[in-house]
Amino acid sequence: MSEWVSYYRSEEPEEEEEEEQQEAQAVADHRFSGRDSLIFLVDASEAMFESDGDGVTPFDMTVQCIRNVYTSKIISSDRDQLSVVFYGTEKNKNSADFKHIYVLQELDNPGAKRVLELDQYRGDEGRVLFRKTFGHNADYSLGEALWACSNLFSDVRVRLSHKRIMLFTNEDDPHANDSAKAKLARTRAGDLRDTGIILDLMHLKKPGGFDISLFYRDIINIAEDEDLGIQPEESRKLEDLMKKVRAKETKKQTLVRLNLYLNKDLSLSVGVYNLVQKAYKPYPVKLYRETNEPVKTKTRMFNGKTGSLLLPSDTKRAQTYGNRQIVLEKEETEELKRFDSPGLFLIGFKPLSMLKQHHHIRPAQFIYPEESLVSGSTTLFNALLMKCLEREVMALCRYTACRNTPPRFVALVPQEEEVDEQKVQIAPPGFHIIFLPYADDKRNVDFTEKVPASREQVDKMKEIIQKLRFKYRTDSFENPVLQQHFRNLEALALAMMEPEQAEDLTMPKAEEMNRRLGNLVEEFKQLVYPPDYSPDAKAVKRKQASDGQAEKRPKVEVSKDELWSHVQKGTLGKLTVPVLKDACRLYGLKGGGKKQELMDALTEYFSER
């Protein structure tokens, strides 16, 4: 179990860590740097506010979904840019003054005020407030709504890496009677595609079903690493809608982009992805107590003797070796960190059967081709993947993530693409990077003496295990400490009366386990433990006797000369408390129970003699 402090990373990263981060960022192409941005384009026509009998309207589902994304972004990516735009309203508010388009929230960082503003329009009271504040009007133009979203992206001053629009509607043919507006919408959607803006359709339940082919098949556009394929069904529940939104808004951000060298003259470009990453509590932010503004920490170095300010050029680094300080220049220390140029260098191939379970010493990474960096990488990558799958082999490589990290030997294990019954991708095609252990990583473990079990005991335990088996999924168990921490922050930010209590899914379900097992546990106890065994009874310590007498620990004796020598040298502290107590008892001294009192009594005794 990790300690509490392990949830908090260091408040201020060390200088070396900052250099490593800068080095890693330098490896990646500048085109991929920036913040993610997401616009929620919501249909506000009257059909979105009609319930089909379950009491939940499509608009309520949409607002709840947007709220969940906001709270999730506040925790995970508070620097991302989010916006909410309504179309089909009576009133309008946008930079181009388009009719029936209302920009509720400009592109900005998510915050508590925005979440509270969305909460106003939930439920029956929110429906009345929305009608009173914005109204409804079906004479809108979807093309102008897309144009307004494009203007929001253009007005942002920070650099944006990914631009995405999520369109929420339950109208499958909004411009059935107006070909001019339909043509304008298709034109604007094409303009978005040309500028790299992704448009996703989040279609909701509609009486009679939602037919994408009527209008939206020509409107939506997808990212390069996604496949249009068969569109998922319309969202009838909030869980279905959240699943689609989460799959789209989650960042597929590469850890690093580098080349996979097959030989000296042939290479392809790949992106490295983290499959599993440990979740931490966010960094604590120091605030100025009078204004609540974040404070910035600066470090300055001064001369210890003169007190004068030292510039970076005035300092050097040294390494002690053989009682000598070896002084190094900054360039030399940077050169020492660099082992090799970043990349994956192919060494050879081995059968997959040679990769053992104990070779997995840390979470694996995943590589996928990067066509945007080196043209033709996808074709060559797929050819390599197909051959490795066909021959059931893995590729052995030397892997250097960035210049200042040491190289590692890795195995590239091929993975075939997997799809479900609806042709939706479950697992992408690519290679898993398995970090192979060095000889120093292997340890010789002393195993305890094996106690043989009878066949009857083994069979009974097999029955117990069979009853308690379940399908394990890592995403089914959330960290209860982190979840409660985030709920506490949410309650403070949204001025709630009390935080929602997080359910600890890691605790075993004792009642369910007892119901499944029945009498199997008692039967197993009778087979394994003696009749008088009680797990609640305190264990009785057994004394090891030798010839009927308890073996006593021999006392450590120190001669008078040795004590006098320790007193002269001032090294009495090296002796243990039992030895000091025995010495005081030998000379009839009353030194108390503390070590310092014992040392003072012995020092005074020998000084007077």
Side-chain angles (χ1 to χ4, degrees):
M1 180 70 69
S2 57
E3 296 180 354
W4 178 264
V5 293
S6 67
Y7 290 111
Y8 290 96
R9 292 175 289 185
S10 57
E11 297 183 10
E12 300 172 7
E14 299 292 336
E15 183 181 352
E16 295 181 0
E17 294 179 359
E18 291 180 350
E19 293 176 359
E20 291 178 5
Q21 293 174 359
Q22 294 172 1
E23 196 74 39
Q25 292 173 358
V27 176
D29 194 272
H30 68 88
R31 290 176 294 173
F32 299 95
S33 60
R35 304 181 189 180
D36 276 14
S37 56
L38 175 60
I39 295 178
F40 298 100
L41 183 58
V42 182
D43 184 359
S45 58
E46 292 187 2
M48 287 283 287
F49 291 83
E50 296 176 358
S51 174
D52 60 354
D54 58 358
V56 180
T57 65
F59 186 81
D60 283 338
M61 285 175 50
T62 301
V63 172
Q64 181 62 40
C65 177
I66 297 174
R67 185 188 188 280
N68 292 347
V69 174
Y70 264 81
T71 55
S72 174
K73 288 283 188 182
I74 290 174
I75 293 170
S76 60
S77 309
D78 60 340
R79 294 172 59 85
D80 289 354
Q81 305 282 301
L82 301 179
S83 172
V84 178
V85 179
F86 296 134
Y87 70 92
T89 58
E90 181 64 34
K91 298 183 180 179
N92 58 278
K93 175 189 172 186
N94 56 84
S95 59
D97 203 22
F98 293 128
K99 298 295 183 182
H100 314 304
I101 298 169
Y102 197 98
V103 179
L104 179 68
Q105 296 175 352
E106 302 277 349
L107 271 174
D108 204 349
N109 300 335
K113 291 183 178 179
R114 292 188 158 210
V115 176
L116 293 173
E117 185 178 14
L118 287 173
D119 287 342
Q120 297 177 355
Y121 307 109
R122 296 168 59 188
D124 295 336
E125 295 181 0
R127 196 178 314 165
V128 175
L129 178 62
F130 188 94
R131 186 177 291 110
K132 180 180 179 181
T133 307
F134 306 108
H136 305 288
N137 195 310
D139 190 26
Y140 59 85
S141 171
L142 185 59
E144 292 179 349
L146 298 177
W147 195 343
C149 293
S150 179
N151 291 339
L152 288 176
F153 287 123
S154 303
D155 294 340
V156 176
R157 295 184 179 181
V158 298
R159 177 182 292 176
L160 302 176
S161 58
H162 298 86
K163 304 175 184 178
R164 189 182 291 268
I165 300 173
M166 287 189 179
L167 176 61
F168 295 83
T169 183
N170 65 345
E171 177 56 60
D172 52 5
D173 194 4
H175 300 313
N177 301 321
D178 195 332
S179 59
K181 289 184 178 180
K183 183 179 179 180
L184 177 63
R186 292 186 177 93
T187 303
R188 293 304 175 199
D191 295 340
L192 294 178
R193 188 183 301 110
D194 295 337
T195 55
I197 300 175
I198 300 168
L199 176 60
D200 290 318
L201 176 65
M202 300 297 159
H203 47 300
L204 304 167
K205 56 184 177 180
K206 177 188 178 183
F210 195 105
D211 189 358
I212 296 179
S213 61
L214 292 178
F215 178 75
Y216 284 103
R217 188 173 293 279
D218 301 329
I219 297 294
I220 60 177
N221 61 82
I222 58 174
E224 296 177 358
D225 58 348
E226 298 174 0
D227 185 15
L228 184 60
I230 299 176
Q231 285 294 313
E233 297 181 356
E234 61 191 47
S235 300
R236 297 182 178 273
K237 297 180 179 180
L238 177 62
E239 293 78 11
D240 301 333
L241 182 61
M242 281 302 305
K243 188 182 296 183
K244 288 198 296 185
V245 171
R246 195 177 295 114
K248 295 291 185 181
E249 63 94 13
T250 302
K251 292 188 292 187
K252 302 181 182 68
Q253 190 170 1
T254 56
L255 185 66
V256 67
R257 292 175 176 85
L258 39 77
N259 288 338
L260 170 57
Y261 296 92
L262 303 182
N263 58 32
K264 293 182 179 179
D265 304 320
L266 183 61
S267 65
L268 64 146
S269 180
V270 296
V272 181
Y273 296 84
N274 257 347
L275 297 178
V276 179
Q277 189 169 354
K278 185 175 180 180
Y280 293 92
K281 288 186 178 180
Y283 287 115
V285 179
K286 294 181 179 179
L287 303 177
Y288 185 46
R289 65 180 181 181
E290 295 184 3
T291 62
N292 265 4
E293 294 181 354
V295 297
K296 188 176 181 181
T297 304
K298 291 186 178 181
T299 303
R300 295 287 184 267
M301 293 187 179
F302 296 88
N303 190 314
K305 296 181 179 179
T306 63
S308 59
L309 178 65
L310 297 178
L311 300 176
S313 57
D314 297 332
T315 60
K316 294 183 179 180
R317 296 185 178 183
Q319 178 70 42
T320 303
Y321 185 79
N323 296 326
R324 290 182 55 195
Q325 280 195 338
I326 310 300
V327 180
L328 301 173
E329 300 291 341
K330 184 178 180 181
E331 294 78 11
E332 292 176 325
T333 56
E334 292 178 355
E335 191 66 29
L336 286 173
K337 294 179 181 179
R338 295 174 183 172
F339 291 86
D340 201 354
S341 56
L344 280 160
F345 301 88
L346 181 64
I347 299 174
F349 298 91
K350 288 286 185 181
L352 283 171
S353 58
M354 296 190 67
L355 185 64
K356 305 301 180 183
Q357 189 171 1
H358 62 268
H359 290 159
H360 297 258
I361 57 175
R362 54 172 285 187
Q365 294 176 345
F366 192 79
I367 60 172
Y368 196 80
E370 285 286 346
E371 188 69 23
S372 57
L373 296 181
V374 177
S375 180
S377 293
T378 303
T379 304
L380 184 56
F381 185 91
N382 288 336
L384 178 64
L385 179 63
M386 290 299 105
K387 282 297 179 183
C388 289
L389 288 170
E390 178 185 335
R391 301 186 180 184
E392 296 183 352
V393 296
M394 59 183 175
L396 298 179
C397 297
R398 188 177 77 252
Y399 175 39
T400 305
C402 54
R403 292 180 181 177
N404 55 354
T405 57
R408 295 295 304 259
F409 290 111
V410 297
L412 302 186
V413 178
Q415 174 177 279
E416 193 173 6
E417 183 180 20
E418 295 181 20
V419 295
D420 59 11
E421 296 82 5
Q422 299 181 350
K423 303 297 182 182
V424 178
Q425 188 185 78
I426 300 175
F431 287 94
H432 289 277
I433 300 180
I434 308 297
F435 291 84
L436 300 177
Y438 287 114
D440 297 337
D441 293 326
K442 297 182 179 180
R443 297 289 183 269
N444 294 323
V445 181
D446 295 330
F447 294 98
T448 57
E449 182 182 354
K450 294 183 178 179
V451 179
S454 65
R455 172 53 55 186
E456 191 178 4
Q457 293 172 345
V458 173
D459 292 339
K460 187 62 66 176
M461 180 53 69
K462 283 182 179 180
E463 291 183 47
I464 293 176
I465 293 175
Q466 195 65 32
K467 291 284 186 181
L468 296 180
R469 292 185 66 180
F470 69 98
K471 190 174 182 180
Y472 174 75
R473 291 178 52 191
T474 54
D475 55 354
S476 299
F477 300 93
E478 297 175 331
N479 187 327
V481 176
L482 289 178
Q483 293 303 316
Q484 191 60 52
H485 174 74
F486 294 139
R487 280 168 170 77
N488 294 343
L489 292 180
E490 181 182 4
L492 286 172
L494 302 182
M496 296 180 180
M497 293 298 293
E498 60 181 12
E500 179 186 355
Q501 293 300 315
E503 183 182 0
D504 190 352
L505 299 174
T506 63
M507 296 297 292
K509 299 179 180 179
E511 295 182 1
E512 179 68 18
M513 292 169 64
N514 292 334
R515 188 185 64 80
R516 286 191 183 185
L517 293 175
N519 297 325
L520 287 176
V521 175
E522 291 299 326
E523 295 173 3
F524 180 76
K525 286 181 179 179
Q526 293 174 6
L527 290 173
V528 177
Y529 299 110
D532 57 346
Y533 172 76
S534 175
D536 298 328
K538 294 183 179 180
V540 180
K541 295 183 179 180
R542 296 182 179 178
K543 297 182 179 180
Q544 296 181 351
S546 176
D547 297 332
Q549 296 292 332
E551 185 179 352
K552 295 183 179 180
R553 187 178 59 182
K555 294 183 178 180
V556 180
E557 296 183 356
V558 182
S559 65
K560 189 174 182 179
D561 294 336
E562 288 177 341
L563 284 173
W564 174 240
S565 176
H566 280 299
V567 170
Q568 287 183 319
K569 295 177 181 179
T571 57
L572 274 177
K574 293 184 177 181
L575 302 179
T576 62
V577 173
V579 174
L580 294 174
K581 282 186 176 181
D582 289 341
C584 289
R585 196 178 298 114
L586 179 63
Y587 299 112
L589 305 177
K590 295 180 180 180
K594 295 183 179 180
K595 187 173 184 178
Q596 188 60 46
E597 295 175 354
L598 297 172
M599 292 167 54
D600 292 342
L602 287 171
T603 303
E604 183 179 357
Y605 173 78
F606 281 98
S607 299
E608 294 176 352
R609 299 185 68 86

